[in-house]
Amino acid sequence: MSKHRSPLAAVVAPVKAVTIAPVKALFVSDAREGILLILVAIAAMIIANSPLSDAYHSLFHATLPFTPVPKLDNLHLWINDGLMAVFFFVVGLEVKRELVEGDLSNPMARRLPVLAAAAGMAIPAVIFILVAGDDPVLSRGWAIPAATDIAFAMGIVGLLGNRVPQSLRLFLLTVAIVDDIGAVAIIALFYTAQVKAMWLIASVAVVAILAVMNMRRVDNLMVYALAAIVLWVCVLNSGVHATIAGVVAALMIPMRNRKGNPLLVKAEHGLAPWNAYLVVPLFGFANAGVDLRGIGLDGFFAPLPLAIAGGLVLGKQAGILSAILGAKWLGIAKPPAGGTWMHIWGVAALCGIGFTMSLFIGTMAFANNNELFEQAKLGVLTGTLISVAIGYTLLRLAPQADASEGASKD
């Protein structure tokens, strides 16, 4: 793909090869998504610390005069529980694509990224718990530093151009995708409210209908979209977080229609730009605004922000690097070829960019405590910025390396 090719061109271009995942194509060489998220976060911070602060919070949290869904009575809830279902739908499409035909379909190719992602989720959680202490209220945020933001991280890599070997781009992307799988599982298992049996049964019934449509290879994406909306309504009212409906619905999309033409890829191509340029930036703008007025050093070093930032910065690097070193020492997987250990360290640091998923988990962990959610946002933004600075600096200064002289050389 051309270095300067617009991601939007992928939407209208013919699908030339189903072996190329469209979301991957969007993020491998284009830094626009990452830059957009940075600008959105900066804008939210500026507005939240300006005379427009009250208007900013009122815009998202004021009760709407009318809502078709009673549980979503303000714009913030519509974005987090409604629009973000589209984000998780795209994540689900990419996950299925990778598991069936992509890098995660090859046991050897996925071994190292899976190990790295698992350690890169576990160690940040451990650091969070150690720093936050045994406070049961704060402990609800243990999963916040476990996630990696694909768009943000790949956007930074895009800014570095060919300084990052292709093998490490692929490694970072795969780790982030596995992170997403883990984050979805965490949300489903640990951030589910009291389940309402009838709505859950209705959700299962809709999933069964989607499964039948999948087996029959129904190729009308609009039918799947309508069924996905019904599933979202059922899951929203069941007590399980509504965004899980997006992932489940995506997994029901067939890879190909009855004629053998790619169907999932078509859906992914159509939604990826909307996700990258509308859904995620809008979520970031609605959730990244932290009012820093009156916050001194004590605020930054409070247990919650410190635990989250420490998990993202130290935990991600420690987890991923230890997994790579451990896998090499045990002889079960080799480090990514084509780069030095400095490249690998830089990529491990970029995995500490939490942003979208970390903020999202924060909204659930502290849904009824705005003060702690503000602290959580501060921790996410601080940890993300430090991770960007470390990762970018390391990769910028790393020497050029090729596949025969990289870190994988024994």
Side-chain angles (χ1 to χ4, degrees), residues 14-89:
V15 181
K16 296 181 179 179
V18 296
T19 56
I20 300 177
V23 173
K24 183 186 300 181
L26 286 173
F27 293 137
V28 162
S29 61
D30 202 300
R32 296 176 188 176
E33 293 84 359
I35 294 173
L36 179 59
L37 289 183
I38 293 172
L39 294 176
V40 163
I42 292 173
M45 291 288 289
I46 291 174
I47 294 174
N49 290 275
S50 75
L52 297 174
S53 177
D54 290 341
Y56 168 80
H57 290 290
S58 178
L59 171 66
F60 294 111
H61 296 281
T63 302
L64 296 171
F66 169 76
T67 176
V69 182
K71 289 192 69 172
L72 309 182
D73 61 358
N74 62 50
L75 186 57
H76 190 261
L77 288 174
W78 270 105
I79 292 171
N80 287 12
D81 291 0
L83 200 58
M84 281 298 283
V86 178
F87 167 80
F88 280 90
F89 186 83

Side-chain angles (χ1 to χ4, degrees), residues 10-20 22 261-263 265-267 269:
V11 182
V12 296
V15 181
K16 296 181 179 179
V18 296
T19 56
I20 300 177
N261 297 321
L263 187 62
V265 167
K266 180 181 177 181
H269 267 297

